[in-house]
Each structure stands twice: as structure tokens, then as C-alpha cells.
Amino acid sequence: MNVRLTFAALASLIGFCGTAQAEIFAGGPAYGGPGSVGGNISCRIFNYGLSPVTITQRQIFTNTNETVAPSSDTCDAELQPATYCAFVAPIQGNLAYSCWLTATGTDTRLSGVAEIQASDFSVLNAVPIQK
């Protein structure tokens, strides 16, 4: 009888725990015009959930379907609640850019923006990142 009670209690506790889920987020295409060449595409992510999130994959694409290697990336560690990270790449051509990422956690409530910046860091265009 105690074994059944133990398994029933364990099953109840597992039911109350959240399960990790993978979610896909994307933003773009964002285009800044010829003035964006020499600037950056910045993919900024904010965790507005109640638990940490791990961003397992992240990529930046051009409108010619090429991936662009990030020059900086602060999204490589667990993203705590009420914090943000960014991955950034240089703009080397008069192209549109998109951000793509997958996130895992029990509460993957993220918001963000794909932001095109000129070389003086002024924002030329910003497009929401969403599920």
C-alpha cells in the first residue's frame, strides 16, 4: 500500500512541475537602406517570464538566405527573468536581415527586436521578434 501511495504522490508532484519546452522566435526582415552598410544588425531579446530561459540556437539571415556570423553574442548563457541579451553582426551589404532563435525553459515568455543600426549607432529600422 505504501508503494502505491508513494507513486501516486510522485505522479502528483510531477504534474505540478512545468516541463521544458522549445519555442521558436523570429523577427524581420528589417531593412535600413544603403546607409546601413557598415552598421550592425542587432537581435535583442528580453525575458519577461518568471524563470530562466536558455537560448539554444540563434542565427542572423540576409534576404539572400545567407547566414551571417555574429561579431558579439551575450545570449550564450542562461537568460534570467527581467534581463536581456543580444547577438549582433556587421552589415556588409545593402540587404535586409532577419533574426531567428530557439529558446527552452518552463516559461519562455520572450520579447525582442531585430534592429538595423547605422555606423553611428542610430537606429534605421526595428522589427519585433515574436513566436
Side-chain angles (χ1 to χ4, degrees):
M1 187 69 130
N2 285 338
V3 173
R4 286 186 193 169
L5 183 59
T6 301
F7 281 125
L10 184 60
S12 295
L13 288 174
I14 290 171
F16 288 120
C17 296
T19 57
Q21 56 185 344
E23 298 284 349
I24 298 173
F25 296 83
Y31 178 65
S36 66
V37 177
N40 292 303
I41 168 70
S42 178
C43 306
R44 301 179 187 276
I45 311 301
F46 179 72
N47 179 0
Y48 68 94
L50 300 175
S51 64
V53 172
T54 301
I55 298 175
T56 56
Q57 298 176 27
R58 53 211 163 274
Q59 291 182 311
I60 298 173
F61 294 93
T62 68
N63 62 297
T64 59
N65 299 319
E66 299 293 323
T67 58
V68 181
S71 57
S72 103
D73 184 355
T74 61
C75 296
D76 57 353
E78 191 173 66
L79 187 60
Q80 296 299 316
T83 60
Y84 89 98
C85 67
F87 51 106
V88 179
I91 294 176
Q92 298 178 349
N94 188 17
L95 303 167
Y97 291 83
S98 299
C99 301
W100 177 90
L101 63 105
T102 59
T104 60
T106 57
D107 186 10
T108 54
R109 289 186 283 173
L110 302 176
S111 64
V113 64
E115 188 175 87
I116 303 292
Q117 301 171 347
S119 59
D120 66 357
F121 301 105
S122 61
V123 176
L124 301 174
N125 196 356
V127 177
I129 292 176
Q130 54 198 352
K131 261 190 228 183

